[in-house]
Amino acid sequence: MLRYILSRLISLGLSLIAASLVIFLVIEVIPGDPAAFMLGLNATETGIANLREELGLGGTLVERYWAWVSGMMTGDFGTSYTYRVPVSDLILDRLWVSLPLTGYALTLSTLIAFPIGLIAASRQGSTTDYSIMGGTQLGIAVPNFWFAMLLVLVFAVNLQWVSAGGFPGWSDPLAAVKSLTLPAIALALPQASILARVMRSALLDTLGQDYMRTARAKGLTRRQAMLRHALRNALIPVLTIIGLQFSFLLAGAIIIENVFFLPGLGRLIFQGITQRDLVVVESVTMLLVFAVILVTFLVDIAYAAADPRLRRK
């Protein structure tokens, strides 16, 4: 197991290095000069050169890349060009919105997916099964930003149960949770659809196993055999998907946060792009990539712990 963990750690390190190179080079080739953008149309070349030096935009690509990476390794993400505050402070402020939203959406998707996946598997081939599978296919196909706008029209504009957007802060927890409910539903629907289909497939795969035939031979119904024997084995692939969904939801909430005007990491990236705040875009993107790779690593370790065959590969 130790050897497997070591190999996965090496893979994690190489993935982070590759990701940091790609992110840095992609951001650097974006046309436009942040210093010129900040000083406006009347800026002089001397003023632009001075500001570039102040922002740390001088030097070669290698020097700037090393300064950025070495700073992140020590917890220094640099200073925002726009807000003139440490990027780490901006990220910490926005995590108080993005992390609860991700956890809320993941909880909803799991609570929705487990029962409908179980019902679909226990009634395989029935009208209920076909209806659930059709519904989940629709849930995957519908863009979540379109569904988010539909939720705003129905529950915020017509019924006026919640506000159309904004975040009141955690000083009033009930109002904060209420403001995150529609975004969480919009994020959870596609993920619940995917998870329900995986749950159904995993349960059906177990039906052909010998221990399931033995359980049925002892007089258990199909549903009883699933609940008592198949569910535990089916959870391994399902938990893998849940782990991957967490990182996907954290990184993929950019559009939803902008639809609902939530001050999270996604909106911070969007503002960084529009304001040419490269250090913010680079740092937040790298943080999200790190979250995805870290969760994938933890899922791999958990999977290997549950299935010893993987450790021998």
Side-chain angles (χ1 to χ4, degrees), residues 4 7 9-10 13 21 83 101 106 154 192 260 262-263 296 300 313:
Y4 179 80
S7 69
L9 279 174
I10 293 172
L21 278 170
Y83 301 102
L101 175 61
L106 191 64
V154 174
F260 289 96
L262 294 176
T296 305
D300 285 346
K313 291 182 179 178

Side-chain angles (χ1 to χ4, degrees), residues 5-290:
I5 293 175
L6 186 61
S7 69
R8 298 305 301 160
L9 279 174
I10 293 172
S11 175
L12 183 149
L14 293 175
S15 299
L16 287 176
I17 293 171
S20 67
L21 278 170
V22 171
I23 291 169
F24 180 78
L25 291 175
V26 168
I27 297 296
E28 288 295 324
V29 299
I30 292 177
D33 187 337
F37 179 82
M38 292 173 68
L39 291 177
L41 295 176
N42 297 322
T44 63
E45 290 188 6
T46 306
I48 293 173
N50 291 336
L51 185 57
R52 282 182 61 81
E53 191 66 29
E54 182 186 341
L55 296 176
L57 295 173
T60 63
L61 274 178
V62 175
E63 289 171 342
R64 296 208 301 273
Y65 172 74
W66 176 247
W68 174 57
V69 171
S70 59
M72 282 197 300
M73 287 191 289
T74 59
D76 179 10
F77 289 77
T79 302
S80 165
Y81 304 160
T82 306
Y83 301 102
R84 310 312 296 262
V85 297
V87 176
S88 55
D89 291 349
L90 288 174
I91 291 174
L92 285 175
D93 286 343
R94 305 304 178 99
L95 277 176
W96 284 104
V97 178
S98 292
L99 278 180
L101 175 61
T102 301
Y104 196 177
L106 191 64
T107 303
L108 284 179
S109 70
T110 305
L111 290 177
I112 295 170
F114 267 58
I116 64 175
L118 188 61
I119 292 171
S122 63
R123 300 183 182 179
Q124 182 189 15
S126 67
T127 304
T128 303
D129 181 26
Y130 290 132
S131 300
I132 290 175
M133 287 301 99
T136 55
Q137 187 64 50
L138 186 64
I140 295 171
V142 172
N144 57 5
F145 70 87
W146 182 87
F147 185 58
M149 290 189 285
L150 183 66
L151 290 174
V152 169
L153 284 174
V154 174
F155 295 101
V157 178
N158 292 331
L159 298 177
Q160 298 185 348
W161 289 355
V162 293
S163 62
F167 184 71
W170 288 104
S171 56
D172 185 352
L174 185 60
V177 171
K178 197 174 177 182
S179 69
L180 293 180
T181 298
L182 290 187
I185 293 173
L187 281 171
L189 179 70
Q191 304 309 315
S193 301
I194 295 170
L195 196 57
R197 296 179 75 89
V198 172
M199 181 83 179
R200 175 184 178 275
S201 297
L203 284 170
L204 291 178
D205 284 344
T206 64
L207 291 178
Q209 302 296 322
D210 290 340
Y211 65 89
M212 288 296 292
R213 283 192 285 269
T214 303
R216 294 295 303 276
K218 289 181 177 178
L220 294 181
T221 63
R222 183 186 177 93
R223 179 176 296 181
Q224 288 172 333
M226 279 188 175
L227 290 174
R228 294 183 188 180
H229 302 287
L231 188 58
R232 183 181 300 175
N233 292 323
L235 283 180
I236 293 177
V238 172
L239 290 176
T240 304
I241 297 297
I242 291 175
L244 295 176
Q245 282 186 345
F246 178 83
S247 50
F248 175 81
L249 288 170
L250 183 62
I254 295 175
I255 296 175
I256 297 300
E257 287 183 1
N258 280 284
V259 169
F260 289 96
F261 298 101
L262 294 176
L265 288 177
R267 189 161 176 76
L268 182 61
I269 286 186
F270 181 77
Q271 291 171 332
I273 292 171
T274 56
Q275 295 164 348
R276 295 285 304 159
D277 203 341
L278 301 185
V279 68
V280 168
V281 178
E282 286 173 340
S283 300
V284 177
T285 306
M286 192 64 212
L287 181 70
L288 294 175
V289 169
F290 175 73

